[in-house]
């Protein structure tokens, strides 16, 4: 049963919102896609009273009222309430995707030339923790995932499906 609606944006992109929020969102528009780094968010311009300036309001903040919002699936166009959760900056960072610069193809895994092995590491609480050296990138990625689940819980963005660790 579909309980969400598609909000068509001028760019041709589509945002998702809950059926219950759709009319409120449309009435508050117009909304547009706004790139921010590797993400695309939905936002609107709000004119500041008494000036010619405007500010931008993101759809996820409009819907929740939260200062910092995390999209569970990492998709800034998916603004269904089930995909939004209040977060701290650290939690939001924990849910970040694999870096474009990654050469291993896994989050938290790098090639360590000196030992000719894969190194797993995780940054938690602004401190980088060494998790060990491994013969394969996959082994190192699994070590990262285990540490990420422990450090970040539900906010951990993993290399492999969470179900494989239950």
């Amino acid at each position: 049963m579909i309980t969400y609606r598609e909000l068509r944006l001028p760019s041709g992109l589509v945002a998702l919102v809950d059926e219950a929020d759709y009319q409120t969102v449309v009435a508050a528009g117009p909304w547009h896609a706004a790139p921010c780094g590797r993400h695309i968010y939905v936002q609107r311009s709000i004119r500041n009273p008494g000036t010619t300036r405007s500010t931008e309001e993101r759809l996820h903040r409009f819907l929740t009222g939260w200062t910092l919002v995390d999209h569970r699936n990492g998709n800034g166009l998916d603004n269904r309430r089930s995909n939004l959760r209040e977060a701290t900056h650290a939690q939001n960072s924990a849910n970040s995707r694999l870096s474009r610069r990654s050469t291993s193809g896994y989050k938290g895994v790098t090639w360590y030339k000196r030992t000719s092995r894969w190194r797993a590491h995780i940054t938690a609480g602004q401190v980088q923790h060494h998790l060990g050296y491994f013969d394969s990138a996959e082994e190192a990625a699994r070590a990262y995932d285990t540490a990420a689940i422990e450090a970040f819980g539900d906010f951990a963005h993993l290399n492999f499906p969470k179900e494989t660790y239950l």
Side-chain angles (χ1 to χ4, degrees):
M1 181 169 137
I2 297 176
T3 59
Y4 63 90
R5 298 273 305 264
E6 293 182 346
L7 178 67
R8 302 229 175 256
L9 304 172
S11 62
L13 294 172
V14 174
L16 303 179
V17 295
D18 288 323
E19 177 75 42
D21 293 324
Y22 184 76
Q23 291 304 325
T24 304
V25 168
V26 169
W31 298 92
H32 60 274
C36 180
R38 290 175 51 191
H39 297 280
I40 298 174
Y41 295 104
V42 181
Q43 66 185 34
R44 67 180 179 148
S45 297
I46 303 172
R47 175 148 295 160
N48 295 334
T51 71
T52 58
R53 296 182 180 207
S54 63
T55 56
E56 302 297 324
E57 180 179 38
R58 296 234 166 114
L59 179 55
H60 53 264
R61 289 191 187 128
F62 171 79
L63 290 170
T64 64
W66 299 327
T67 303
L68 190 57
V69 181
D70 180 63
H71 292 77
R72 290 177 194 271
N73 66 7
N75 181 353
L77 295 173
D78 186 348
N79 288 280
R80 296 173 296 157
R81 289 185 184 267
S82 63
N83 189 47
L84 304 177
R85 59 187 169 185
E86 192 169 18
T88 64
H89 180 71
Q91 290 169 324
N92 199 292
S93 295
N95 191 27
S96 65
R97 295 187 236 175
L98 174 69
S99 168
R100 273 190 244 191
R101 298 181 325 181
S102 172
T103 56
S104 69
Y106 295 107
K107 187 172 180 182
V109 177
T110 55
W111 178 251
Y112 196 65
K113 196 176 201 175
R114 195 178 323 164
T115 61
S116 296
R117 298 178 80 197
W118 294 97
R119 178 178 181 257
H121 55 89
I122 189 168
T123 301
Q126 299 181 341
V127 176
Q128 188 175 91
H129 302 276
H130 172 73
L131 302 173
Y133 298 105
F134 301 87
D135 292 327
S136 74
E138 183 177 322
E139 286 177 283
R142 292 195 182 281
Y144 170 85
D145 284 358
T146 301
I149 290 168
E150 186 176 319
F152 309 127
D154 193 39
F155 286 88
H157 187 88
L158 305 177
N159 292 299
F160 301 100
K162 189 171 259 181
E163 298 79 42
T164 61
Y165 297 100
L166 299 179

